[in-house]
Amino acid sequence: AGDYAARVLRRGTRLRLVDTRGDACANLLLYNADRPIERLNVADTVKVQWNAYLGPGKLLLSDMGRVLMSILDDTSGRHDTFCGCSNERTNAAKYGEGANHTACPNGRDRFVLALAKFGLGRKDVMPNVNLFKGVTVEADGGLTFDGSPGRAGAAVTLRAEMNVLVVLANTPHVLDPRRSYVATPLRVTAWRGPVTPESDAVRNATPEGKRAFQNVEDYFAA
């Protein structure tokens, strides 16, 4: 709980996140590793795919209309594209403290520490995706948090469609009502894999997805 990690993964790399005990919250940011001014755009990820609830076959899109990563497998089924991560103020209100070097560090400041290692800073922290904790929009527009402990060993496998900088912070979800700071360990594994072929099922699932993948091909061809 409270830790963070950042790595550059080459195009085609697979990344597997495992919620080892069922109560992790993986705050995720993505950047084009070769030109990090291009980064994850959660609003476009939702809008272009007509779906705010991530799962197998869904794409994580950049602000340039390209696919940064795609979701190959998902045994959790509980993810959040609405709420972003915690900050020092929200953590202090809930836990009594929230700065980086306390027992209750917040997601935003953990992102800043990770990004500093790559020459990026606070201005480069944008809205993130939260994996393993779900939020549902109700008919009246309210948000319902599904924060009950999930199945230990639930996993998500992502595929890098570009050279990406992956930034993770394992901090409690900002809507988690518990007054104790709870986030169980994540296991993160990456391995090399082939670049996505034109015949790939995820690539060809929707017209919007095909266009986003074509934007990737055009980028590398240039």
Side-chain angles (χ1 to χ4, degrees), residues 20-172:
T20 60
R21 300 179 191 170
D23 215 352
C25 181
N27 308 300
L28 172 68
L29 290 177
L30 299 172
Y31 302 79
N32 176 348
D34 301 318
R35 189 170 180 268
I37 195 171
E38 179 180 6
R39 67 268 316 259
L40 174 67
N41 188 307
V42 177
D44 283 356
T45 292
V46 169
K47 178 179 66 177
V48 170
Q49 299 179 96
W50 302 89
N51 195 325
Y53 303 103
L54 300 177
K58 296 304 179 185
L59 312 176
L60 298 173
L61 301 176
S62 80
D63 49 12
M64 298 297 291
R66 293 187 273 258
V67 190
L68 291 169
M69 301 192 86
S70 57
I71 302 176
L72 299 184
D73 299 297
D74 174 23
T75 62
S76 170
R78 300 192 310 172
H79 311 299
D80 164 36
T81 59
F82 302 112
C83 296
C85 66
S86 59
N87 56 53
E88 183 174 354
R89 186 173 181 178
T90 60
N91 274 22
K94 188 183 300 182
Y95 310 119
E97 57 184 0
N100 252 325
H101 303 294
T102 66
C104 305
N106 67 85
R108 185 174 181 83
D109 285 344
R110 296 320 247 176
F111 282 151
V112 172
L113 281 182
L115 290 169
K117 304 178 191 303
F118 296 87
L120 303 173
R122 188 171 296 274
K123 65 180 176 58
D124 299 298
V125 179
M126 65 287 185
N128 64 282
V129 167
N130 298 307
L131 303 178
F132 302 114
K133 295 294 183 186
V135 172
T136 303
V137 178
E138 304 299 344
D140 63 358
L143 298 176
T144 297
F145 173 59
D146 180 8
S148 58
R151 182 176 63 82
V156 178
T157 304
L158 305 171
R159 178 177 60 197
E161 308 297 355
M162 301 179 68
N163 301 326
V164 292
L165 169 60
V166 178
V167 185
L168 291 164
N170 183 20
T171 62

Side-chain angles (χ1 to χ4, degrees), residues 179-196:
R179 309 301 293 186
S180 57
Y181 190 91
V182 179
T184 53
L186 281 169
R187 183 167 68 245
V188 185
T189 309
W191 64 95
R192 297 181 183 89
V195 172
T196 303

Side-chain angles (χ1 to χ4, degrees), residues 192-206:
R192 297 181 183 89
V195 172
T196 303
E198 290 188 9
S199 59
D200 180 74
V202 172
R203 176 173 178 156
N204 292 288
T206 67

